[in-house]
Amino acid sequence: MTSSPMPAPTASQPAVDADHAPKDPGLQPGSLVSGLPKGAPGETMIAIDGISKWYGDFKVLTDCTTKVAKGEVVVVCGPSGSGKSTLIKCVNALEPFQKGQITVAGTKVLDKSTNLPKLRSRVGMVFQHFELFPHLTITDNLTIAQRKVLGRGSEDAKKRGLDLLARVGLGAHAHKYPGQLSGGQQQRVAIARALAMNPVVMLFDEPTSALDPEMVGEVLDVMVELAKEGMTMMVVTHEMGFARKVADRVIFMDRGEIVEDATKDEFFGSPRSERAQTFLSKILQH
Amino acid sequence: MNYNWNWSIFFDQSPEGTGTYADMLLSGLYWTIVTALCAWAIAFTLGSVIGVLRTLPSKTANAIGTTYVEIFRNVPLLVQMFLWYFVLPEMLPRGLGDAVKQMPDAPFYTAVVCLGFFTASRVAEQVRAGIQALPRGQRMAATAMGFTTAQTYRYVLLPNAYRIILPPMTSEFLNNLKNTSVALTIGLLELTGRARSMQEFSFQVFEAFTAATLLYVAINLVVVVCASLLERAVTIPGQR
């Protein structure tokens, strides 16, 4: 497995005039994250407490328990069908679960009195297939939820959206439609769109799995930067290079169970379970 | 064939005394168009609501949508016209039923409501198909950003679904326009009804129905041209 090289930030390069600026310079210097809640770094942001989920008779999640602390980056890995995407979608109640409880920044997910749209607006999510809204321009994709969900004014929303777009290196594409961008570019827009809502945590559901190999790096760059800026992240991915570089902890899942929940060094150094060992030996041998 | 062709018949006075036969046909065309547009307003609005109901997670909403579609889609339009016009007023309380029967332009209002409800069941199926054709992730992404269900439909699902179903919706609109002719059976003086009156008054059956045919083709072609302009106007750059 090859880890993608990180291009140096372009800050040191001389400024070029706008007309001749490269169309896609990649990640730009500046801040991706703003308005993170105050609080001690060790504070729990996501508490997953004994959740189980069935599709009819089929049990997809069995008694999963874990915690993600503020500023922590947790990578969730495991073979396909192991329930990792389902687990992450339970965190913002995109998937309902029948047993247990998840608490996000102090709010219980499985509670009648919880305003789910409000909770979800504080949890950024990035999908495998980007899911930008194809009928809206990039600018509108970045602003629509800010305006309609958070009630921000158009000018504020646009400023926030375009700032983030420039940060992910796509400032020149604001007027385009998603179908006119490459997969990697669309995924960077999707990350910017989620960040525009000032989320307290970010969930990534296999963000690079649908990308051509040469575009994986540009998306991971943004995620690495996000991790460095202290964003709390839960990432379902097969990119073990990314896990090694930025993860604090790795959760390994198999057949709907959390089999291993360890620090990065423990997991890659000496995985305890046989299933994790087999998985690692399979995906790391290339 | 022993038939006296007379193409100048259109310029003869009709026995109704309100103008020529051409005027009579054109007034029929006018009522065809007005009926079609009013019925479409009902069909589009109600059909969209029913179509959305069929795609909601709620079982009750699904059941209501499915029941509506199966009732209005599976009973022949002609039977529905008779039910609305002849049967419904008898089922109502006496005073109300009499008021309905004596309403001026009753055939027109009945035709609009009946055709609107009938076409709504077909529009509903198109809307449902359009929504279900969208990637599942679109609804998820909108939900994950904090959109309510109503916002998800308003800002994400429907704008994309309507674009997908524009070609079959054009067909539905054309069907709706042509189906207005069924209303001649309840006495609406629309184009086909007028062509038949002309035939009965003048015995020039070929001229009357040739003219009606050409008028139907002409307005439908106008619709087709408008629809393709609309299609071009709402095409999203970068999509196939």
Side-chain angles (χ1 to χ4, degrees):
Chain A
M1 164 149 284
T2 54
S3 66
S4 53
M6 289 270 291
T10 48
S12 56
Q13 290 170 6
V16 273
D17 70 298
D19 289 346
H20 300 96
K23 280 284 180 215
D24 187 356
L27 189 64
Q28 298 293 297
S31 171
L32 282 169
V33 174
S34 71
L36 276 184
K38 305 277 184 290
E43 187 191 346
T44 303
M45 289 302 289
I46 305 173
I48 299 176
D49 190 10
I51 69 160
S52 294
K53 175 179 172 63
W54 288 262
Y55 284 123
D57 289 338
F58 182 65
K59 198 169 191 185
V60 280
L61 292 177
T62 306
D63 206 21
C64 297
T65 299
T66 189
K67 272 183 185 173
V68 182
K70 186 170 180 300
E72 204 176 20
V73 178
V74 173
V75 162
V76 185
C77 63
S80 59
S82 58
K84 44 194 196 308
S85 284
T86 311
L87 179 71
I88 203 174
K89 282 181 185 141
C90 287
V91 172
N92 59 354
L94 282 188
E95 293 278 3
F97 50 93
Q98 286 79 31
K99 202 172 138 251
Q101 184 60 278
I102 297 181
T103 312
V104 179
T107 310
K108 291 191 172 79
V109 170
L110 201 69
D111 187 2
K112 283 245 171 345
S113 67
T114 297
N115 180 344
L116 276 181
K118 187 160 183 239
L119 171 76
R120 288 177 180 133
S121 71
R122 304 175 64 205
V123 178
M125 186 152 201
V126 175
F127 297 86
Q128 185 176 359
H129 295 285
F130 333 130
E131 305 303 351
L132 295 178
F133 304 136
H135 62 299
L136 299 179
T137 60
I138 300 304
T139 306
D140 288 338
N141 263 284
L142 291 163
T143 57
I144 187 163
Q146 293 187 69
R147 288 184 287 124
K148 305 296 178 188
V149 178
L150 302 182
R152 284 187 188 150
S154 327
E155 287 307 309
D156 289 352
K158 196 168 169 186
K159 185 173 181 306
R160 172 92 182 120
L162 293 183
D163 278 355
L164 282 162
L165 192 64
R167 271 291 278 135
V168 299
L170 296 170
H173 301 266
H175 60 287
K176 291 190 181 170
Y177 285 84
Q180 296 170 303
L181 300 187
S182 74
Q185 291 173 328
Q186 288 191 53
Q187 194 62 302
R188 283 186 280 153
V189 174
I191 296 174
R193 179 176 72 169
L195 291 173
M197 304 288 285
N198 302 86
V200 293
V201 299
M202 285 284 287
L203 308 174
F204 293 82
D205 186 10
E206 304 205 26
T208 56
S209 303
L211 293 175
D212 290 339
E214 77 269 22
M215 294 172 182
V216 170
E218 64 194 62
V219 171
L220 289 181
D221 287 348
V222 177
M223 292 168 63
V224 169
E225 177 62 22
L226 205 48
K228 280 189 195 151
E229 290 186 30
M231 178 57 80
T232 310
M233 294 161 68
M234 211 172 159
V235 186
V236 174
T237 186
H238 297 292
E239 297 292 337
M240 288 303 125
F242 172 79
R244 280 179 193 279
K245 192 183 291 169
V246 293
D248 296 300
R249 270 174 38 237
V250 178
I251 290 173
F252 173 75
M253 291 185 70
D254 192 20
R255 287 176 230 152
E257 288 172 62
I258 293 181
V259 178
E260 192 128 351
D261 185 347
T263 65
K264 164 176 68 178
D265 296 336
E266 279 169 6
F267 182 75
F268 288 112
S270 53
R272 283 187 296 269
S273 69
E274 198 181 313
R275 281 189 274 181
Q277 286 166 9
T278 319
F279 177 76
L280 276 178
S281 69
K282 274 184 193 153
I283 65 165
L284 294 179
Q285 71 193 186
H286 302 291
Chain B
M1 196 175 67
N2 200 359
Y3 184 77
N4 283 323
W5 290 96
N6 177 13
W7 289 105
S8 63
I9 182 76
F10 298 111
F11 303 105
D12 292 358
Q13 285 295 314
S14 81
E16 285 179 335
T18 49
T20 60
Y21 281 114
D23 292 335
M24 199 166 117
L25 287 180
L26 288 178
S27 114
L29 179 67
Y30 168 79
W31 282 107
T32 290
I33 293 172
V34 171
T35 310
L37 290 178
C38 295
W40 184 253
I42 296 177
F44 184 77
T45 330
L46 184 62
S48 297
V49 172
I50 301 287
V52 165
L53 285 183
R54 294 199 76 181
T55 62
L56 289 173
S58 150
K59 286 212 168 81
T60 320
N62 291 173
I64 294 171
T66 308
T67 310
Y68 181 93
V69 168
E70 297 310 344
I71 289 174
F72 283 91
R73 177 168 76 160
N74 293 337
V75 176
L77 179 57
L78 184 58
V79 174
Q80 292 193 32
M81 283 284 175
F82 288 167
L83 287 174
W84 282 101
Y85 194 65
F86 299 116
V87 179
L88 183 72
E90 306 297 334
M91 311 281 280
L92 295 171
R94 175 158 245 179
L96 188 59
D98 286 347
V100 169
K101 279 189 245 179
Q102 284 154 14
M103 198 167 49
D105 292 328
F108 168 69
Y109 293 113
T110 311
V112 164
V113 170
C114 173
L115 188 57
F117 277 45
F118 171 78
T119 310
S121 68
R122 306 177 53 95
V123 169
E125 282 301 89
Q126 303 289 2
V127 170
R128 174 176 76 95
I131 293 170
Q132 288 175 346
L134 301 173
R136 258 184 86 229
Q138 287 282 302
R139 185 194 293 267
M140 275 204 180
T143 310
M145 289 166 79
F147 281 144
T148 59
T149 305
Q151 287 177 319
T152 302
Y153 277 89
R154 163 71 184 80
Y155 297 116
V156 179
L157 300 181
L158 285 176
N160 284 302
Y162 283 136
R163 282 183 170 85
I164 294 178
I165 61 171
L166 196 54
M169 285 285 265
T170 306
S171 298
E172 292 303 342
F173 186 86
L174 293 174
N175 277 337
N176 174 70
L177 216 158
K178 289 176 288 187
N179 282 340
T180 52
S181 61
V182 175
L184 85 89
T185 57
I186 58 169
L188 181 67
L189 298 174
E190 47 67 65
L191 182 52
T192 307
R194 286 316 220 169
R196 275 188 44 162
S197 327
M198 180 175 167
Q199 171 216 333
E200 279 157 14
F201 292 141
S202 69
F203 304 106
Q204 302 299 138
V205 56
F206 288 100
E207 290 85 346
F209 279 96
T210 305
T213 305
L214 291 177
L215 287 173
Y216 274 121
V217 170
I219 46 172
N220 283 338
L221 284 176
V222 170
V223 171
V224 170
V225 168
C226 291
S228 65
L229 290 177
L230 181 62
E231 231 171 290
R232 207 174 302 166
V234 301
T235 300
I236 299 160
Q239 289 205 309
R240 66 237 143 223

